[in-house]
Amino acid sequence: MASLALREAHGGRLFGPAAVGWLAAAGLSLLFSLLPPRTLPAFLYELPRDWRLPLETWLSASMAWLVEEAAIGPLRFRDLTRALAAFVEWPLALVRALLVEGFAGSGSPGAGPFAAPVSWLAVILLAGLLAARSGDRSLVLLVTGSLAYLALFGQWPSAMVTLSSILIAVPFGVAIGMLLGIAAFRSARFERLLVPLLDVMQTVPVFAYLLPMLFLFGFGPVSAILATILYAMPPMVRVTALALRQVPSEIRDFAAMAGCTSRQSLWRVLVPAARPTLVVGVNQVIMLSLNMVIIASMIGAGGLGYDVLTALRRLDIGRGLEAGLAITVLAIALDRLGQKAASRGERTRQQSADGLLDRPTVWLALGLAALATTELGRAFPFLAAYPESLQVSTGPLWNELVAWINVHFFDQLETLKSALVLNLLAPVRRFLLAQPWPWVLVLLVVAGHRLGGRRLALTVFALAAFVVATGYFEKALVSVYLVGLSALVATAIGIPIGIACGLSDRLWRVVEVVVDTLQTLPSFVYLIPVVMLFRVGEFSAMIAVVLYALAPAIRYTAHGIRRTPPPLLEAGCAAGCTRVQILRHIRLPLALPDILLGVNQTIMLALSMLVITALVGTRDLGQEVYIALTKADVGKGLVAGLCVACIAMIADRLVSAAAAHTRRRLGLVP
Amino acid sequence: MSRPVKLACRHLWKVFGPEAKRVLRRLGPDPDPAELERAGLIVAVANAELVVHAGEIFVIMGLSGSGKSTLVRCLARLVEPTAGEVIFDGRDLLRASEREMIEIRRHRMGMVFQHFALLPHLTVLENVAFPLAIQGVPRAEREMRARAMIRLVGLEGREHHFPRELSGGQQQRVGIARSLAVEPELWFLDEPFSALDPLIRREMQNEFLRLQALLAKTIVFITHDFEEAIRLADRIAIMQNGRIVQTGTPEELLLAPATDYVAAFTAGAPRARILSARAIMRPVDGSCEFAGTLDPTTRVADLAAAVLEAERPFAVVENGRLLGMVDRQAVIDVLVGKR
Ligand SMILES: Nc1ncnc2c1ncn2[C@@H]1O[C@H](COP(=O)(O)OP(=O)(O)OP(=O)(O)O)[C@@H](O)[C@H]1O
Ligand SMILES: [Mg+2]
């Protein structure tokens, strides 16, 4: 009946049988949400405990076995982990001593440190010189300014702890990533094994990395560093394999013709030729390490992340904001330094001729100068540590600002919040949570089949079934609700901005800087202003997620719109289209695949952020992982983490398939 | 030809695709490529046979995709042939161990690439010295030799430039200098001038001829440009769909093309520059006075001016023996394209 009416209303053309099918499905879903509670048996919403796959217990048990008993001959697994820990512990201790703690004196207690840490002034100077190598004056200003900011606002010691973690994590991440990437480049079989593993690693929420590390290595900076290395490495693997593969085959042939052994061909020809792309990978490792090292403060990384964490726990907004700003400043400085290195790529004749800073003697002299300022610190204390009397604390200021906002705008903010919660959040949540799992599985399988055939349907089914079988279906629905709604809002905001940017170069130049900056900020930082204004809860979480996930929606849309082939635009003009018609009929349809990719990225970022928002009190899968983390429950943490990864992979596969589908329809690929 | 054979290949096949070796063996010694392609394989080189003599410039030419690059890569064993043998100085290269191949490539072979294949992170000097560097030649010595090569190709003063700071022609000069730095006996050039502008290309061809006059290497040169081929070649092999359809001097190809494909290649060629006095001479009828004598190998283009100016024909003489004569009419016939 309804379908008949529709058909008549639209001249019997617009709605095919598929649309009717989807409409019927929506009707059924609505029906489920209107059922009074407990109409359907409970097992349709969550499997009872004894029907579940006891994966958590298995994992916990095998982890315990690994730590307690596993051994190959006389070599116990525990010794292996100790050795591994020592491997990073030593360099870390060295860098920390240099930047933060100083070297302990030998012998008698109370002798004081044998040597003080490097003076803050020397660090700023060295960083400035490093930036000066690029020959870009504004970069020098940015880097020295950022570090000076850290000293001025009393964030120096924490920032140096964070920096020393990064200085250790990045070389390890790059080196291991590169070795794996090289192995993948050389052996197709190894790559086939590695790629799915990397896929999972890049979708598993960050907290899930912390847990096994905590379990294997205990609480402390070493576990934090190891988690950071593990988290930051996957892109380096991919970039390395890709970069090596991109080296022109002629260059590879040349290496053989010159009589290179396979090692010479790799290290003296392929790797240097691939350098410009490899540096992009290094930059990614730096940014991911920074993000993770902040989060890893939960398992003992210390530093700025720890300051944010304690501030959040105590709801001390001022302190949190200060530390958050310090992270931001550090992130931007590191990012720009890395970008510059990436764009500089290769030496130029000028630099090779008079590259003063490339000479080891110069660096030796600089090192000695650093040592000297540090020694002078004994006589002049202001050199050793930035004097407290000159520090500016903005903490109280921020606290007052928050108080002021809460006094003057409390009602408005509260009204906004409750209006949105009542009219949007709560109904969506209720609707989703009312769906029984068999029905959701059916919907996913049908969608998978329509978009990508039997293979995709099977994949999606397996992933979703894992979530159901492990007993996290309800929590997963909460996550889906939070992510779905946030991603929806983010795209609803991001796509129009992206379109505007696609049409106006001037606007894009401004927005690009903002988007770039948003993307360099560690996810932790987003929580602070949100909590400041809306306190804890799902609403705050959602705002943080939206902010974090906004960038790709804008970027990909703008990219897609800007990329419209000029001949098509000319054809549109020639046909007498108005600007609006050109946008609607030419630019937008052609940009659709790009926009869908952006949506995909938005969903992925939203999911990764969602887990972090567990800190501000959500009650979804992320919270489960977080709880597991605080209780050091490995099995639970890993399984809940894998469930998040399942959601991410389902969304990724479906949206990518949809993008491929539209691309085929538009004839953009054969 | 009396010169010794430097490089030869026999029954050489390169077939891309899964299980190519097995399928090829199953189908017998000289299968129909169409049959292989039906089996889902790509035939890049089919049953190639060639002989290159020491000191010769041997040109391989053919249309794009005809398998020239693959053939030359098989000869250098950069690509492992599917079947056949490659004989370099009397021994089968395909039997050489990896270690031996490295030694042979280090000291006895050089290659120049179509897109130069310079290392972007090294200066001109470092690029040219690179093959020596990986052999472990000490820095002072290798830089001295690299400088000599750079001078040879006329790039002195650019030693410290990076490849991207040079023009295409200059980059290829670096490529040439680099391939010569190890003083190879056998020199492969895969379309070395194809990526260059016509004027620069002409200049580089002259440069190449100058170098060869100096160095007398054995050369395998690839091109898809027939004019380039006849300018440089002692002999030319023409490839089509992976097969070598004809091998011969430019004049032989012009006078007796084996197939329509070869004829199509030679159709637009500057005949005066290919044909020699021997090809256009007439028998001497009776006694007759000559304006002068010619060597039978002289190209028409080089004798035309003298013959056209003279009132009487020229005698073609080899080792004091009168072979025939060339008169005005014969030269005019060539110049207007009548023969
Ligand atoms: N690695 C490969 N895998 C599959 N097919 C290949 C491979 N390399 C070359 N071919 C195929 O072999 C054939 C010959 O290629 P080749 O590069 O030798 O041609 P070419 O004569 O050098 O052409 P060009 O003048 O364009 O350089 C082509 O059809 C090509 O597609
Ligand atoms: Mg080629």
Side-chain angles (χ1 to χ4, degrees), chain B residues 42 102 109 172 224 231 249 264 273 290:
Chain B
I42 299 169
I102 286 179
M109 286 181 178
Q172 194 57 294
H224 60 240
R231 262 175 76 81
T249 63
R273 241 185 270 121
F290 296 113

Side-chain angles (χ1 to χ4, degrees), chain A residues 249-262 264 268-269 272-273 346-350 352, chain B residues 73 76 78 102 105-106 109 111 113-119 121 126 130 133-134 160-162 164-165 178:
Chain A
S249 68
E250 276 196 346
I251 290 205
R252 249 177 275 171
D253 284 344
F254 160 68
M257 276 318 282
C260 290
T261 60
S262 61
Q264 284 175 326
R268 302 190 61 169
V269 178
E346 304 134 16
R347 295 181 290 163
T348 64
R349 177 161 34 107
Q350 219 80 44
S352 80
Chain B
R73 277 167 173 69
L78 288 174
I102 286 179
R105 292 194 187 122
R106 279 187 177 182
M109 286 181 178
M111 189 181 271
F113 298 86
Q114 179 172 2
H115 301 286
F116 323 137
L118 301 180
L119 302 181
H121 62 289
E126 290 163 334
F130 184 86
I134 61 154
H160 299 291
H161 283 55
F162 281 90
R164 76 197 110 83
E165 297 168 321
R178 181 179 68 181

Side-chain angles (χ1 to χ4, degrees), chain A residues 298-342:
Chain A
M298 290 180 180
I299 59 169
L304 292 170
Y306 181 72
D307 296 349
V308 174
L309 195 65
T310 41
L312 272 178
R313 284 190 180 140
R314 280 197 249 125
L315 285 183
D316 181 349
I317 299 302
R319 287 283 298 283
L321 208 61
E322 262 186 336
L325 279 173
I327 295 173
T328 309
V329 162
L330 195 61
I332 292 177
L334 282 175
D335 177 57
R336 294 295 131 88
L337 259 178
Q339 295 264 340
K340 202 69 198 183

Side-chain angles (χ1 to χ4, degrees), chain A residues 95-401:
Chain A
V95 176
R96 272 202 179 208
L98 266 176
L99 288 179
V100 193
E101 286 144 9
F103 295 88
S106 59
S108 57
F114 161 70
V118 175
S119 155
W120 57 275
L121 208 57
V123 172
I124 294 181
L125 211 76
L126 283 177
L129 280 172
L130 201 65
R133 274 179 55 157
S134 71
D136 179 351
R137 203 165 297 165
S138 63
L139 184 69
V140 177
L141 270 178
L142 180 83
V143 169
T144 49
S146 305
L147 289 177
Y149 170 94
L150 295 176
L152 183 66
F153 287 90
Q155 304 291 328
W156 188 261
S158 290
M160 286 307 110
V161 171
T162 299
L163 187 63
S164 44
S165 300
I166 292 195
L167 286 179
I168 295 306
V170 170
F172 274 104
V174 167
I176 299 172
M178 240 174 100
L179 289 180
L180 289 176
I182 288 168
F185 166 72
R186 284 191 163 168
S187 150
R189 190 175 317 158
F190 182 69
E191 183 169 36
R192 269 201 298 285
L193 279 177
L194 198 63
V195 165
L197 197 67
L198 292 179
D199 280 346
V200 174
M201 281 176 83
Q202 290 190 303
T203 44
V204 155
V206 282
F207 288 171
Y209 280 88
L210 303 182
L211 252 167
M213 293 302 129
L214 189 61
F215 209 71
L216 292 175
F217 301 101
F219 186 92
V222 172
S223 328
I225 290 275
L226 288 173
T228 305
I229 293 171
L230 211 57
Y231 173 79
M233 184 194 61
M236 191 68 205
V237 181
R238 289 184 202 268
V239 169
T240 305
L242 180 79
L244 292 177
R245 210 154 281 144
Q246 274 177 350
V247 173
S249 68
E250 276 196 346
I251 290 205
R252 249 177 275 171
D253 284 344
F254 160 68
M257 276 318 282
C260 290
T261 60
S262 61
R263 182 178 306 171
Q264 284 175 326
S265 145
L266 180 67
W267 292 108
R268 302 190 61 169
V269 178
L270 293 181
V271 168
R275 205 193 102 122
T277 317
L278 289 176
V279 180
V280 175
V282 173
N283 212 20
Q284 283 209 34
V285 173
I286 295 177
M287 293 328 286
L288 286 179
S289 296
L290 184 60
N291 189 20
M292 188 61 169
V293 108
I294 302 293
I295 295 166
S297 59
M298 290 180 180
I299 59 169
L304 292 170
Y306 181 72
D307 296 349
V308 174
L309 195 65
T310 41
L312 272 178
R313 284 190 180 140
R314 280 197 249 125
L315 285 183
D316 181 349
I317 299 302
R319 287 283 298 283
L321 208 61
E322 262 186 336
L325 279 173
I327 295 173
T328 309
V329 162
L330 195 61
I332 292 177
L334 282 175
D335 177 57
R336 294 295 131 88
L337 259 178
Q339 295 264 340
K340 202 69 198 183
S343 67
R344 190 168 64 112
E346 304 134 16
R347 295 181 290 163
T348 64
R349 177 161 34 107
Q350 219 80 44
Q351 279 158 335
S352 80
D354 56 39
L356 184 69
L357 286 164
D358 285 328
R359 278 181 220 156
T361 43
V362 175
W363 283 102
L364 197 69
L366 287 175
L368 284 177
L371 209 66
T373 45
T374 307
E375 277 309 300
L376 281 177
R378 288 177 197 267
F380 306 99
F382 76 93
L383 276 178
Y386 187 81
E388 242 168 80
S389 56
L390 290 180
Q391 280 176 14
V392 181
S393 173
T394 48
L397 189 78
W398 292 116
N399 278 334
E400 268 167 43
L401 179 69

Side-chain angles (χ1 to χ4, degrees), chain B residues 14-17 37 42-45 61-73 79 114 190-191 194 222-224 239 241-242:
Chain B
K14 179 64 202 181
V15 181
F16 290 104
E37 262 149 40
I42 299 169
V43 181
V45 175
M61 64 163 304
L63 296 179
S64 184
S66 56
K68 310 178 296 285
S69 297
T70 311
L71 174 57
V72 82
R73 277 167 173 69
V79 167
Q114 179 172 2
D190 184 358
E191 303 206 22
S194 296
I222 294 187
T223 179
H224 60 240
M239 284 189 85
N241 296 335

